[in-house]
Short mmCIF file of all heavy atoms in Angstrom, two decimals:
data_model
loop_
_atom_site.label_atom_id
_atom_site.label_comp_id
_atom_site.label_asym_id
_atom_site.label_seq_id
_atom_site.Cartn_x
_atom_site.Cartn_y
_atom_site.Cartn_z
N LYS A 1 97.96 -163.74 287.34
CA LYS A 1 98.17 -162.52 286.57
C LYS A 1 98.30 -161.28 287.63
O LYS A 1 99.18 -160.48 287.44
CB LYS A 1 97.04 -162.21 285.69
CG LYS A 1 97.21 -161.06 284.80
CD LYS A 1 96.08 -160.87 283.80
CE LYS A 1 96.23 -159.58 282.98
NZ LYS A 1 95.09 -159.42 281.97
N GLU A 2 97.35 -161.32 288.65
CA GLU A 2 97.49 -160.27 289.62
C GLU A 2 98.79 -160.31 290.45
O GLU A 2 99.40 -159.28 290.74
CB GLU A 2 96.22 -160.31 290.51
CG GLU A 2 94.92 -160.05 289.80
CD GLU A 2 93.74 -160.43 290.63
OE1 GLU A 2 93.88 -161.38 291.55
OE2 GLU A 2 92.70 -159.94 290.32
N ILE A 3 99.08 -161.51 290.91
CA ILE A 3 100.33 -161.65 291.76
C ILE A 3 101.53 -161.38 290.95
O ILE A 3 102.49 -160.71 291.45
CB ILE A 3 100.35 -163.03 292.46
CG1 ILE A 3 101.22 -162.98 293.65
CG2 ILE A 3 100.80 -164.04 291.66
CD1 ILE A 3 100.62 -163.37 294.90
N ALA A 4 101.55 -161.75 289.69
CA ALA A 4 102.77 -161.44 288.85
C ALA A 4 102.94 -159.95 288.55
O ALA A 4 104.00 -159.42 288.65
CB ALA A 4 102.61 -162.21 287.50
N LYS A 5 101.77 -159.31 288.48
CA LYS A 5 101.89 -157.82 288.18
C LYS A 5 102.40 -157.15 289.53
O LYS A 5 103.17 -156.25 289.48
CB LYS A 5 100.47 -157.37 287.88
CG LYS A 5 100.45 -155.76 287.52
CD LYS A 5 99.10 -155.33 287.07
CE LYS A 5 99.15 -153.88 286.71
NZ LYS A 5 97.91 -153.35 286.33
N ARG A 6 101.77 -157.54 290.65
CA ARG A 6 102.19 -156.94 291.95
C ARG A 6 103.67 -157.14 292.31
O ARG A 6 104.30 -156.29 292.82
CB ARG A 6 101.32 -157.51 293.10
CG ARG A 6 100.09 -156.70 293.41
CD ARG A 6 99.49 -156.94 294.79
NE ARG A 6 99.30 -158.33 295.14
CZ ARG A 6 98.19 -159.08 294.90
NH1 ARG A 6 97.21 -158.50 294.16
NH2 ARG A 6 98.14 -160.34 295.26
N LEU A 7 104.21 -158.27 291.85
CA LEU A 7 105.53 -158.63 292.25
C LEU A 7 106.62 -158.27 291.08
O LEU A 7 107.74 -158.53 291.18
CB LEU A 7 105.75 -160.11 292.63
CG LEU A 7 104.93 -160.42 293.84
CD1 LEU A 7 105.06 -161.96 294.16
CD2 LEU A 7 105.34 -159.63 295.10
N SER A 8 105.95 -157.80 289.96
CA SER A 8 106.74 -157.40 288.76
C SER A 8 107.58 -158.55 288.24
O SER A 8 108.81 -158.38 287.97
CB SER A 8 107.62 -156.24 289.10
OG SER A 8 106.95 -155.12 289.53
N ILE A 9 107.00 -159.69 288.13
CA ILE A 9 107.64 -160.95 287.58
C ILE A 9 106.74 -161.55 286.63
O ILE A 9 105.40 -161.32 286.59
CB ILE A 9 108.07 -161.95 288.65
CG1 ILE A 9 106.86 -162.39 289.47
CG2 ILE A 9 109.18 -161.33 289.58
CD1 ILE A 9 107.15 -163.50 290.31
N PRO A 10 107.23 -162.29 285.65
CA PRO A 10 106.35 -162.96 284.70
C PRO A 10 105.63 -164.12 285.40
O PRO A 10 106.08 -164.75 286.29
CB PRO A 10 107.33 -163.56 283.62
CG PRO A 10 108.69 -163.05 283.92
CD PRO A 10 108.69 -162.43 285.29
N ALA A 11 104.38 -164.37 284.85
CA ALA A 11 103.52 -165.54 285.34
C ALA A 11 104.43 -166.87 285.22
O ALA A 11 104.27 -167.81 286.04
CB ALA A 11 102.27 -165.60 284.76
N SER A 12 105.16 -166.92 284.19
CA SER A 12 105.93 -168.14 283.86
C SER A 12 106.94 -168.41 284.98
O SER A 12 107.25 -169.58 285.25
CB SER A 12 106.63 -168.04 282.55
OG SER A 12 107.56 -166.94 282.45
N THR A 13 107.46 -167.38 285.57
CA THR A 13 108.40 -167.56 286.71
C THR A 13 107.62 -168.23 287.88
O THR A 13 108.14 -169.16 288.51
CB THR A 13 108.99 -166.31 287.21
OG1 THR A 13 109.76 -165.65 286.11
CG2 THR A 13 109.94 -166.35 288.31
N ILE A 14 106.44 -167.79 288.17
CA ILE A 14 105.68 -168.36 289.27
C ILE A 14 105.35 -169.83 289.01
O ILE A 14 105.49 -170.69 289.87
CB ILE A 14 104.39 -167.52 289.51
CG1 ILE A 14 104.77 -166.02 289.79
CG2 ILE A 14 103.48 -168.13 290.55
CD1 ILE A 14 103.63 -165.15 289.81
N ARG A 15 104.88 -170.10 287.72
CA ARG A 15 104.66 -171.52 287.32
C ARG A 15 105.93 -172.35 287.47
O ARG A 15 105.80 -173.46 287.94
CB ARG A 15 104.13 -171.52 285.84
CG ARG A 15 102.74 -171.03 285.78
CD ARG A 15 102.22 -171.36 284.29
NE ARG A 15 101.31 -170.32 284.00
CZ ARG A 15 101.48 -169.27 283.38
NH1 ARG A 15 102.62 -168.94 282.84
NH2 ARG A 15 100.49 -168.32 283.06
N TYR A 16 107.10 -171.76 287.09
CA TYR A 16 108.27 -172.56 287.26
C TYR A 16 108.56 -172.88 288.65
O TYR A 16 108.92 -174.00 289.05
CB TYR A 16 109.46 -171.72 286.64
CG TYR A 16 110.77 -172.34 286.90
CD1 TYR A 16 111.22 -173.46 286.08
CD2 TYR A 16 111.66 -171.89 287.88
CE1 TYR A 16 112.47 -173.99 286.37
CE2 TYR A 16 112.90 -172.41 288.01
CZ TYR A 16 113.35 -173.55 287.29
OH TYR A 16 114.46 -174.06 287.53
N TYR A 17 108.43 -171.97 289.60
CA TYR A 17 108.61 -172.23 290.96
C TYR A 17 107.66 -173.31 291.59
O TYR A 17 108.13 -174.04 292.40
CB TYR A 17 108.51 -170.94 291.85
CG TYR A 17 109.71 -169.90 291.58
CD1 TYR A 17 109.48 -168.49 291.78
CD2 TYR A 17 110.98 -170.27 291.15
CE1 TYR A 17 110.54 -167.61 291.62
CE2 TYR A 17 111.96 -169.45 290.93
CZ TYR A 17 111.69 -168.14 291.12
OH TYR A 17 112.72 -167.13 290.90
N GLU A 18 106.52 -173.27 290.99
CA GLU A 18 105.54 -174.26 291.45
C GLU A 18 105.98 -175.61 290.90
O GLU A 18 105.93 -176.62 291.57
CB GLU A 18 104.11 -173.88 290.87
CG GLU A 18 103.06 -174.90 291.25
CD GLU A 18 101.74 -174.46 290.84
OE1 GLU A 18 101.52 -173.46 290.11
OE2 GLU A 18 100.74 -175.15 291.20
N LYS A 19 106.49 -175.73 289.72
CA LYS A 19 106.87 -176.92 289.19
C LYS A 19 108.10 -177.50 289.88
O LYS A 19 108.31 -178.70 289.99
CB LYS A 19 107.24 -176.88 287.59
CG LYS A 19 106.06 -176.76 286.68
CD LYS A 19 106.51 -176.60 285.26
CE LYS A 19 105.33 -176.38 284.36
NZ LYS A 19 105.73 -176.12 282.99
N GLN A 20 108.83 -176.60 290.43
CA GLN A 20 110.08 -176.99 291.22
C GLN A 20 109.74 -177.42 292.54
O GLN A 20 110.70 -177.85 293.34
CB GLN A 20 111.17 -175.96 291.17
CG GLN A 20 111.75 -175.53 289.75
CD GLN A 20 112.29 -176.78 289.13
OE1 GLN A 20 113.24 -177.44 289.72
NE2 GLN A 20 111.93 -177.03 287.88
N GLY A 21 108.62 -177.32 292.94
CA GLY A 21 108.11 -177.71 294.25
C GLY A 21 108.34 -176.68 295.40
O GLY A 21 108.20 -176.95 296.56
N LEU A 22 108.56 -175.40 294.90
CA LEU A 22 108.63 -174.33 295.93
C LEU A 22 107.41 -173.81 296.46
O LEU A 22 107.42 -173.18 297.44
CB LEU A 22 109.62 -173.28 295.38
CG LEU A 22 110.95 -173.60 294.84
CD1 LEU A 22 111.65 -172.42 294.25
CD2 LEU A 22 111.73 -174.24 295.94
N LEU A 23 106.36 -173.87 295.62
CA LEU A 23 105.14 -173.34 295.94
C LEU A 23 104.05 -174.53 295.75
O LEU A 23 104.16 -175.25 294.87
CB LEU A 23 104.66 -172.23 294.87
CG LEU A 23 105.47 -171.07 294.97
CD1 LEU A 23 105.15 -170.11 293.73
CD2 LEU A 23 105.33 -170.23 296.20
N ASP A 24 103.10 -174.50 296.67
CA ASP A 24 102.01 -175.44 296.64
C ASP A 24 100.71 -174.60 296.55
O ASP A 24 100.23 -174.23 297.57
CB ASP A 24 101.95 -176.36 297.73
CG ASP A 24 100.93 -177.44 297.76
OD1 ASP A 24 100.50 -177.78 296.56
OD2 ASP A 24 100.49 -177.88 298.83
N ILE A 25 100.27 -174.26 295.33
CA ILE A 25 99.18 -173.38 295.18
C ILE A 25 97.83 -174.12 295.09
O ILE A 25 97.69 -175.05 294.40
CB ILE A 25 99.38 -172.55 293.86
CG1 ILE A 25 100.74 -171.84 293.93
CG2 ILE A 25 98.20 -171.52 293.69
CD1 ILE A 25 100.98 -170.95 295.08
N GLN A 26 96.82 -173.45 295.74
CA GLN A 26 95.47 -174.09 295.78
C GLN A 26 94.88 -173.73 294.41
O GLN A 26 95.22 -172.69 293.76
CB GLN A 26 94.63 -173.45 296.84
CG GLN A 26 95.18 -173.84 298.21
CD GLN A 26 95.21 -175.29 298.47
OE1 GLN A 26 94.20 -175.97 298.26
NE2 GLN A 26 96.34 -175.74 299.08
N ARG A 27 93.97 -174.63 293.93
CA ARG A 27 93.26 -174.30 292.67
C ARG A 27 91.77 -174.23 292.86
O ARG A 27 91.13 -174.95 293.76
CB ARG A 27 93.60 -175.38 291.67
CG ARG A 27 95.08 -175.31 291.18
CD ARG A 27 95.39 -176.39 290.18
NE ARG A 27 96.72 -176.26 289.70
CZ ARG A 27 97.10 -175.55 288.58
NH1 ARG A 27 96.35 -175.14 287.80
NH2 ARG A 27 98.43 -175.63 288.34
N LYS A 28 91.06 -173.44 292.09
CA LYS A 28 89.63 -173.35 292.15
C LYS A 28 89.06 -174.47 291.44
O LYS A 28 89.83 -175.32 290.86
CB LYS A 28 89.26 -171.97 291.40
CG LYS A 28 89.67 -170.76 292.07
CD LYS A 28 89.16 -169.58 291.25
CE LYS A 28 89.68 -168.28 291.72
NZ LYS A 28 89.09 -167.16 290.93
N ASN A 29 87.76 -174.58 291.36
CA ASN A 29 87.03 -175.64 290.72
C ASN A 29 87.39 -175.74 289.25
O ASN A 29 87.41 -176.69 288.65
CB ASN A 29 85.52 -175.60 290.95
CG ASN A 29 85.16 -175.86 292.38
OD1 ASN A 29 85.91 -176.51 293.11
ND2 ASN A 29 83.93 -175.46 292.75
N ASN A 30 87.65 -174.54 288.67
CA ASN A 30 88.02 -174.41 287.20
C ASN A 30 89.37 -174.67 286.95
O ASN A 30 89.87 -174.42 285.84
CB ASN A 30 87.45 -173.05 286.72
CG ASN A 30 88.16 -171.93 287.29
OD1 ASN A 30 89.08 -172.04 288.23
ND2 ASN A 30 87.80 -170.67 287.00
N ASN A 31 90.18 -175.08 287.96
CA ASN A 31 91.57 -175.40 287.93
C ASN A 31 92.49 -174.21 287.78
O ASN A 31 93.68 -174.32 287.57
CB ASN A 31 91.89 -176.35 286.81
CG ASN A 31 93.19 -177.20 287.02
OD1 ASN A 31 93.46 -177.51 288.25
ND2 ASN A 31 93.82 -177.69 286.06
N TYR A 32 91.97 -172.89 288.06
CA TYR A 32 92.84 -171.81 288.07
C TYR A 32 93.47 -171.74 289.36
O TYR A 32 92.90 -172.11 290.41
CB TYR A 32 91.96 -170.58 287.87
CG TYR A 32 91.52 -170.26 286.46
CD1 TYR A 32 91.60 -171.24 285.43
CD2 TYR A 32 90.88 -169.02 286.07
CE1 TYR A 32 91.12 -170.95 284.19
CE2 TYR A 32 90.53 -168.80 284.82
CZ TYR A 32 90.53 -169.77 283.82
OH TYR A 32 90.21 -169.49 282.62
N ARG A 33 94.85 -171.17 289.35
CA ARG A 33 95.41 -171.04 290.63
C ARG A 33 94.96 -169.94 291.41
O ARG A 33 94.44 -168.85 290.87
CB ARG A 33 96.94 -170.72 290.32
CG ARG A 33 97.76 -171.91 289.69
CD ARG A 33 99.05 -171.33 289.13
NE ARG A 33 99.92 -172.36 288.60
CZ ARG A 33 99.80 -172.79 287.34
NH1 ARG A 33 99.05 -172.22 286.47
NH2 ARG A 33 100.61 -173.80 286.93
N GLU A 34 94.94 -170.12 292.72
CA GLU A 34 94.38 -169.07 293.64
C GLU A 34 95.51 -168.78 294.71
O GLU A 34 95.89 -169.72 295.50
CB GLU A 34 93.17 -169.69 294.33
CG GLU A 34 92.08 -168.80 294.69
CD GLU A 34 90.88 -169.46 295.27
OE1 GLU A 34 91.02 -170.50 295.93
OE2 GLU A 34 89.79 -168.93 295.04
N TYR A 35 95.96 -167.56 294.75
CA TYR A 35 97.02 -167.19 295.63
C TYR A 35 96.57 -166.47 296.87
O TYR A 35 95.92 -165.38 296.75
CB TYR A 35 98.08 -166.35 294.85
CG TYR A 35 98.69 -167.07 293.70
CD1 TYR A 35 98.18 -167.19 292.42
CD2 TYR A 35 99.93 -167.73 293.93
CE1 TYR A 35 98.72 -167.87 291.44
CE2 TYR A 35 100.44 -168.53 292.92
CZ TYR A 35 99.89 -168.52 291.64
OH TYR A 35 100.49 -169.32 290.58
N SER A 36 97.00 -166.87 298.01
CA SER A 36 96.66 -166.20 299.23
C SER A 36 97.77 -165.29 299.62
O SER A 36 98.79 -165.22 298.90
CB SER A 36 96.55 -167.19 300.40
OG SER A 36 97.83 -167.85 300.63
N LEU A 37 97.51 -164.51 300.64
CA LEU A 37 98.54 -163.53 301.12
C LEU A 37 99.78 -164.31 301.64
O LEU A 37 100.94 -163.89 301.38
CB LEU A 37 97.99 -162.63 302.23
CG LEU A 37 96.92 -161.69 301.85
CD1 LEU A 37 96.41 -160.95 303.15
CD2 LEU A 37 97.47 -160.71 300.88
N GLU A 38 99.53 -165.50 302.11
CA GLU A 38 100.70 -166.37 302.59
C GLU A 38 101.48 -166.84 301.31
O GLU A 38 102.73 -166.92 301.44
CB GLU A 38 100.11 -167.53 303.41
CG GLU A 38 101.20 -168.46 304.03
CD GLU A 38 100.70 -169.59 304.74
OE1 GLU A 38 99.58 -169.33 305.49
OE2 GLU A 38 101.20 -170.67 304.56
N ASP A 39 100.80 -167.15 300.32
CA ASP A 39 101.47 -167.54 298.98
C ASP A 39 102.40 -166.49 298.58
O ASP A 39 103.46 -166.60 298.07
CB ASP A 39 100.50 -168.04 298.02
CG ASP A 39 99.76 -169.34 298.41
OD1 ASP A 39 100.29 -170.22 299.08
OD2 ASP A 39 98.58 -169.49 297.89
N GLU A 40 101.78 -165.23 298.49
CA GLU A 40 102.51 -164.04 298.07
C GLU A 40 103.73 -163.78 298.85
O GLU A 40 104.86 -163.56 298.38
CB GLU A 40 101.55 -162.80 298.03
CG GLU A 40 102.22 -161.58 297.44
CD GLU A 40 101.32 -160.42 297.37
OE1 GLU A 40 100.05 -160.60 297.51
OE2 GLU A 40 101.77 -159.30 297.11
N GLN A 41 103.59 -163.91 300.17
CA GLN A 41 104.83 -163.74 301.14
C GLN A 41 105.83 -164.85 300.85
O GLN A 41 107.04 -164.49 300.78
CB GLN A 41 104.24 -163.72 302.52
CG GLN A 41 105.18 -163.04 303.56
CD GLN A 41 105.48 -161.65 303.13
OE1 GLN A 41 104.54 -160.94 302.73
NE2 GLN A 41 106.65 -161.18 303.37
N LYS A 42 105.36 -165.98 300.65
CA LYS A 42 106.31 -167.15 300.33
C LYS A 42 107.03 -166.83 298.94
O LYS A 42 108.33 -167.05 298.94
CB LYS A 42 105.66 -168.42 300.26
CG LYS A 42 106.57 -169.63 300.15
CD LYS A 42 105.71 -170.88 300.37
CE LYS A 42 106.57 -172.11 300.53
NZ LYS A 42 105.76 -173.31 300.68
N LEU A 43 106.24 -166.28 298.10
CA LEU A 43 106.89 -166.11 296.74
C LEU A 43 107.91 -164.92 296.87
O LEU A 43 109.00 -164.91 296.30
CB LEU A 43 105.85 -165.69 295.74
CG LEU A 43 106.17 -165.58 294.30
CD1 LEU A 43 106.99 -166.73 293.80
CD2 LEU A 43 104.93 -165.33 293.47
N LYS A 44 107.57 -163.94 297.73
CA LYS A 44 108.54 -162.74 297.93
C LYS A 44 109.82 -163.35 298.54
O LYS A 44 110.94 -162.94 298.30
CB LYS A 44 107.96 -161.76 298.80
CG LYS A 44 106.88 -160.90 298.23
CD LYS A 44 106.30 -159.89 299.19
CE LYS A 44 105.20 -159.03 298.65
NZ LYS A 44 104.60 -158.18 299.69
N LEU A 45 109.74 -164.23 299.57
CA LEU A 45 110.88 -164.87 300.18
C LEU A 45 111.75 -165.64 299.07
O LEU A 45 112.92 -165.48 299.11
CB LEU A 45 110.46 -165.87 301.29
CG LEU A 45 111.46 -166.69 301.92
CD1 LEU A 45 112.49 -165.73 302.64
CD2 LEU A 45 110.93 -167.66 302.93
N ILE A 46 111.00 -166.37 298.23
CA ILE A 46 111.79 -167.08 297.20
C ILE A 46 112.51 -166.15 296.35
O ILE A 46 113.72 -166.24 296.07
CB ILE A 46 110.82 -167.98 296.35
CG1 ILE A 46 110.23 -169.08 297.17
CG2 ILE A 46 111.43 -168.43 295.09
CD1 ILE A 46 109.05 -169.80 296.56
N LEU A 47 111.86 -165.02 295.94
CA LEU A 47 112.56 -163.94 295.09
C LEU A 47 113.71 -163.38 295.78
O LEU A 47 114.77 -163.10 295.16
CB LEU A 47 111.48 -162.99 294.64
CG LEU A 47 110.38 -163.49 293.70
CD1 LEU A 47 109.36 -162.39 293.54
CD2 LEU A 47 111.05 -163.93 292.42
N VAL A 48 113.57 -163.15 297.05
CA VAL A 48 114.65 -162.58 297.84
C VAL A 48 115.91 -163.46 297.88
O VAL A 48 117.05 -163.14 297.82
CB VAL A 48 114.28 -162.07 299.21
CG1 VAL A 48 115.48 -161.79 300.22
CG2 VAL A 48 113.30 -160.87 299.21
#
């Protein structure tokens, strides 16, 4: 939610990129996605 808001894109877009194999996101113990600064930069590259 935080990363989607910062990048002004829907969370569903981020999930789609992950399903397509463009992102490999770490998950917490509760299975929530956890985005690092590197993940955010990679997502910006994908969007560009």
Side-chain angles (χ1 to χ4, degrees):
K1 184 177 179 180
E2 292 166 339
I3 200 125
K5 184 176 181 181
R6 270 200 307 275
L7 299 180
S8 301
I9 58 172
S12 60
T13 298
I14 299 170
R15 285 187 210 97
Y16 173 75
Y17 291 153
E18 186 178 358
K19 284 180 187 175
Q20 295 303 309
L22 302 179
L23 297 168
D24 184 26
I25 306 303
Q26 299 299 314
R27 292 182 180 259
K28 296 180 184 179
N29 291 340
N30 61 6
N31 209 27
Y32 285 13
R33 291 170 179 86
E34 209 173 39
Y35 295 88
S36 66
L37 291 175
E38 186 179 318
D39 294 327
E40 184 173 348
Q41 201 58 35
K42 189 173 187 179
L43 190 50
K44 286 178 185 177
L45 174 62
I46 292 166
L47 294 169
V48 167

